[in-house]
Amino acid sequence: MTIGNPITDPAGGTMDQNRVVDATDRSRFEIFDGDDLAGFAEYQRTESQIAFTHTQIDPRFQGQGLAGVLARAALDSAKAEGLAVLPFCPFIRQWISRHPEYVDLVPQSRREKFGL
């Protein structure tokens, strides 16, 4: 399942080669640059929540903003499915703290634990 639309770059073009996929069989969201796996965000999911545990971008693709694209797509998917988010992964937690419109995905009772 591909999530999201083509990504617009700062110059106004589109980066159609980037896509985020929910690889449920591997319990992770994956981001591709063309046909190359550029990174992933691992998760553990239950019926009502998703816990992000680890995010990794291949060194060849670092510095291109792909981790942020991956985080946004994964969190948008969780929101669309009505899942509570537990950001155990430091990157996802930091990304949420920089994008306060996503804090409401973390249950109120758990926000202090995650520093949100």
Side-chain angles (χ1 to χ4, degrees), residues 56-72:
Q56 182 173 323
I57 298 294
D58 185 297
R60 297 176 299 145
F61 299 99
Q62 290 179 353
Q64 298 178 31
L66 296 180
V69 172
L70 176 60
R72 183 180 302 276

Side-chain angles (χ1 to χ4, degrees), residues 20-96:
V20 174
V21 176
D22 185 0
T24 55
D25 58 326
R26 290 184 289 283
S27 297
R28 66 188 197 178
F29 286 91
E30 299 175 337
I31 188 163
F32 289 86
D33 183 56
D35 292 329
D36 295 325
L37 177 63
F40 55 86
E42 294 177 332
Y43 62 79
Q44 294 178 2
R45 184 178 169 167
T46 66
E47 198 172 297
S48 62
Q49 66 186 22
I50 186 166
F52 289 98
T53 57
H54 178 69
T55 301
Q56 182 173 323
I57 298 294
D58 185 297
R60 297 176 299 145
F61 299 99
Q62 290 179 353
Q64 298 178 31
L66 296 180
V69 172
L70 176 60
R72 183 180 302 276
L75 293 168
D76 285 347
S77 176
K79 184 175 188 174
E81 294 186 47
L83 298 173
V85 171
L86 303 177
F88 291 103
C89 168
F91 177 79
I92 298 290
R93 186 169 53 248
Q94 181 183 32
W95 196 92
I96 290 172

